[in-house]
Amino acid sequence: MLRPRPLTPVEQLDAARHLRTAEYELFWRQAPADQRHAYETMRRASLESPDPTVLRAALLHDVGKATVELGAVRRSLATVLDALGLPMTSRMRSYRDHGPRGAGLLAAAGAEPLVVAFAARHPDADPGEFDPAMWSALLDADDI
């Protein structure tokens, strides 16, 4: 399947029930493929940790991607160029830096420190400020 299916109405309600009001808009600004990835990440994380903050962090970890308009092909190209240390366009660099961008949006929305930190630092190891089991649940859930 080239394009992930959009969230069903039931999945939309499930995602929405985990989000705070200020976070709701950030989640829905994401492209449907990113919403699908976030939702699946949240579902996998819930198997290891039912903590509501972990579930919000899973749903919101890629919201910074919504600030950069790149299609799937250019996203893939940016990922490869970055991995190889090759030059990228400014939009590709912005896409690469989606974590800190999203963290800024989440901080402005009043998200909890774990939600902000996971957006900023994933897929890096536990920075030592949070419950290692929570961070591990998020990393495991996001590691596809």
Side-chain angles (χ1 to χ4, degrees):
M1 171 178 2
L2 290 177
R3 289 184 183 202
R5 60 183 166 65
L7 296 182
T8 67
V10 170
E11 292 168 331
Q12 290 175 16
L13 287 172
D14 188 31
R17 76 184 176 93
H18 295 290
L19 299 170
R20 294 178 172 173
T21 303
E23 299 162 344
Y24 188 85
E25 179 188 345
L26 294 174
F27 180 81
W28 296 110
R29 283 177 40 191
Q30 296 181 102
D34 293 328
Q35 292 171 11
R36 167 61 55 199
H37 167 69
Y39 183 76
E40 295 301 331
T41 301
M42 186 268 302
R43 288 188 48 142
R44 286 188 296 274
S46 73
L47 299 175
E48 290 188 50
S49 175
D51 186 281
T53 305
V54 169
L55 303 184
R56 276 192 292 285
L59 284 169
L60 298 165
H61 73 281
D62 281 335
V63 297
K65 290 180 179 179
T67 66
V68 183
E69 292 185 27
L70 280 182
V73 172
R74 285 196 174 108
R75 284 179 172 204
S76 297
L77 181 58
T79 301
V80 170
L81 292 174
D82 185 45
L84 296 174
L86 296 173
M88 294 185 281
T89 67
S90 62
R91 273 200 301 173
M92 288 179 175
R93 285 190 303 276
S94 293
Y95 174 75
R96 176 197 60 201
D97 298 336
H98 74 273
R101 289 172 174 276
L105 295 170
L106 291 164
E112 298 104 315
L114 176 66
V115 176
V116 174
F118 191 68
R121 298 180 186 156
H122 76 285
D124 293 340
D126 174 20
E129 321 166 23
F130 304 101
D131 179 341
M134 291 175 146
W135 197 269
S136 178
L138 287 163
L139 287 178
D140 291 347
D142 190 38
D143 187 29
I144 307 173

